[in-house]
Every structure is written in structure tokens, then in C-alpha cells.
Amino acid sequence: MLELHSHTTFSDGSLTPKQRVDRAVSKCVKALAITDHDTISGWHEARTAAQPHGLEIVPGIELSTVYNDRSMHILGFYPDPQKLRVPLYERIQGRHRRAQKMVDNLRALGYPIELPPMPGNMAPGRPHVANALLTAGHVASHQEAFQRFIGDHGPAYVPYEKFTAQEGIALLRSCGAVPVWAHPYLFRGGIVEDILPELVTYGLMGVEVYHPQHSISEEQVLEELCSRYDLLMTGGSDYHGPQPKLKPGDIDLNGLKLPLDLLDIVKQAANSLKNIG
Ligand code: AMP
Ligand code: ZN
Ligand code: FE
Ligand code: FE
């Protein structure tokens, strides 16, 4: 089984890379992508933990970009880590500045919080702010933190620093990574059918068709679009760690049961980029 979208404590996941690997092994996953937001720092620990189990680690990333003023996530598979080092440093610094701005906004609103110390190679995100709000007793749940304060229209929300989807796709390709539009139906800045052709002109090579928050009919539309634009298909659970209470319909790790063949196509695409570069 294949799992091409997951997070660790190097971004906003709650499991360390080793814990994440152990859980994948227990669920009989054969290939696991580590796709933290804007950082690749989790790969090394994941590889070391996976090696004795024969679990294949797919090196990946989920880049935070902006399209139509809204957040758009672009997955990249098999980037050259050396080429990504400097550009990612800037993205992660931007995430640290953004997290601090949200803290400042909350303080001005009368809700002071303290973020835990976060090392420089770790990418802070809104879930960390939600956690701090919970710890400070200002909210009773993560959901409430997003609803009252840091959701896309919330009073303390701060968008990503400007980095367009076009720039993100170009960056990934220049690093030999296969760019894939993550969870298109979670995008709030336009209609999937209208946006996709434009992303293709930027160099997009694939679409994350299978995602827990996509309906079956949405996945069918995406399958059709992938065949129309000759794009590869990926999927994953976007797993951020165990949830205290899984709601009916929530998909736990590897609930999607994706076939390994999808990975071969991603590998071929990555090789084609490296041959050009
Ligand atoms: P960021 O990249 O810092 O904007 O954080 C995005 C992450 O926040 C997503 O990957 C989700 O894990 C989480 N998230 C976004 N919106 C919500 C929401 N309304 N409720 C709970 N979690 C959310
Ligand atoms: Zn996340
Ligand atoms: Fe995402
Ligand atoms: Fe994600």
C-alpha cells in the first residue's frame, strides 16, 4: 500500500518521523512519503527508522503558495535536497515571522499565548497557534481556535508571505521534483476546472486525486481531468497524527488503500525531470 501525503513534528504533525514510520509499518504501508509543509528536515530520521522494516520512504514536501490571494498547497516528490536548501530557508523564516504576527494579533485582541520553542529547521503553522490557544485556555478545541481566531477570515489570521503557485511549481521543477496540486477541492480561491489548465501551463505534472476530504464524485472529476491534461495521479491521507476522536468518515492512516503502481509513474516523472536538468 502507498501513502503519498503525511506530516511529522517538523511541521504540524503530532508524530515524530520515527513514530510516523512505526505507525506506517503497523498498517502494512510499503511506501510512505514524508511531505511536511516547507521543510524536508524529517526525511533523515524517517529513512533511518524505515530501513530495518523494508519500508520505502518517498522524499517529498508540501509547498505553501498563494494563488488568487488564497493558500494553495503544491506537493513535490523527489526534490534534490541541496538545491532546495536556500529557497526553503527563506520559506521557513517566513513561516516563523507569520506565526509571530498571529501571536501579536492575538495579544492585541486580548488573548496572549506563548508558542513552544521551535528550531529553525521546523515549519510553524496555524495548528501550533491553535495548540497554544488551547494550552492558554482561550479555546476548548482546535476547531474553536480556527472558527474564532485563525481561520481564513479570522481576526488573527495572517496569510503566507507572497510566493505564487507559479513560483512554487517552477522551484520544484528546478529541483527535479514532480509538482502535484495537493487536495484541489480544499482550495478556496476558484473553480478547479478553471484553475487546473493554468497550473498546467506553469509546469504542473500531477494532481492529488485521492484525499480524505474529497468526495467520490470529486475524485471522479479529478480522474477525468488528469486524463484530459495528461497528468499523473497521487493520493494520501494527509495524516497529521492520531486524532483524539475520529469522526465517522474520517480516514485514518492508509485508509485510502492506494496501489503501488501510482508510485512508479511518479518515479518515471521525476527521472524525466532529472534527465532534462
Ligand atoms: P498553515 O499552513 O499554517 O496555514 O496551516 C494549515 C493547516 O492547518 C492545515 O494543513 C490543517 O492541518 C490545519 N487547518 C486549516 N484549516 C483548519 C480548520 N478550519 N480547522 C482545523 N484545522 C485546520
Ligand atoms: Zn498541515
Ligand atoms: Fe495541505
Ligand atoms: Fe498536508
Side-chain angles (χ1 to χ4, degrees):
M1 291 305 155
L2 180 63
E3 158 64 280
L4 286 181
H5 191 155
S6 71
H7 296 273
T8 77
T9 44
F10 281 96
S11 64
D12 54 6
S14 61
L15 299 182
T16 64
K18 179 178 184 321
Q19 289 169 330
R20 186 66 191 71
V21 161
D22 290 346
R23 192 168 169 103
V25 169
S26 77
K27 298 275 177 178
C28 302
V29 173
K30 296 284 180 267
L32 167 72
I34 302 291
T35 54
D36 276 310
H37 300 284
D38 300 325
T39 180
I40 60 173
S41 301
W43 294 1
H44 177 69
E45 182 184 324
R47 281 182 170 139
T48 307
Q51 206 258 335
H53 300 287
L55 168 68
E56 178 175 347
I57 296 296
V58 177
I61 186 156
E62 185 174 16
L63 269 190
S64 315
T65 75
V66 178
Y67 183 96
N68 272 352
D69 287 330
R70 301 303 288 263
S71 142
M72 177 179 273
H73 288 176
I74 309 286
L75 292 160
F77 298 103
Y78 299 103
D80 176 336
Q82 286 312 324
K83 291 187 181 160
L84 263 188
R85 207 165 52 85
V86 172
L88 279 191
Y89 177 78
E90 180 49 33
R91 308 306 325 143
I92 294 174
Q93 291 306 308
R95 271 187 172 268
H96 280 268
R97 289 188 288 265
R98 169 181 181 246
Q100 187 54 49
K101 279 187 197 158
M102 287 193 266
V103 170
D104 295 345
N105 288 349
L106 285 164
R107 189 186 304 109
L109 290 165
Y111 299 95
I113 58 167
E114 202 164 321
L115 290 175
M118 293 194 262
N121 63 352
M122 192 209 140
R126 281 185 287 167
H128 300 102
V129 178
N131 252 348
L133 278 163
L134 196 59
T135 307
H138 299 314
V139 295
S141 67
H142 262 216
Q143 211 49 44
E144 187 187 337
F146 277 88
Q147 272 158 11
R148 285 179 56 200
F149 298 114
I150 54 172
D152 288 7
H153 300 290
Y157 173 69
V158 178
Y160 300 139
E161 292 184 4
K162 200 82 180 165
F163 181 61
T164 65
Q166 184 171 12
E167 289 170 315
I169 290 168
L171 171 64
L172 289 171
R173 288 185 67 121
S174 73
C175 296
V178 180
V180 171
W181 187 9
H183 44 67
Y185 280 102
L186 297 189
F187 181 64
R188 297 287 167 252
I191 309 281
V192 171
E193 286 86 336
D194 297 342
I195 297 166
L196 187 61
E198 190 176 337
L199 297 180
V200 170
T201 66
Y202 299 157
L204 189 80
M205 297 174 83
V207 170
E208 185 178 47
V209 173
Y210 309 104
H211 186 278
Q213 281 156 279
H214 288 169
S215 69
I216 290 174
S217 60
E218 287 169 341
E219 290 177 355
Q220 285 166 346
V221 172
L222 292 174
E223 285 170 350
E224 211 275 308
L225 289 170
C226 283
S227 111
R228 190 187 310 168
Y229 294 106
D230 197 20
L231 296 167
L232 58 82
M233 300 189 288
T234 72
S237 65
D238 202 358
Y239 191 69
H240 283 75
Q243 300 299 316
K245 267 194 208 146
L246 272 183
K247 294 190 291 298
D250 279 0
I251 300 212
D252 193 1
L253 169 60
N254 197 32
L256 296 164
K257 306 250 184 298
L258 297 165
L260 275 171
D261 312 8
L262 290 183
L263 182 59
D264 292 335
I265 298 168
V266 178
K267 284 178 178 168
Q268 282 163 21
N271 284 335
S272 75
L273 282 176
K274 267 139 199 143
N275 290 339
I276 302 167

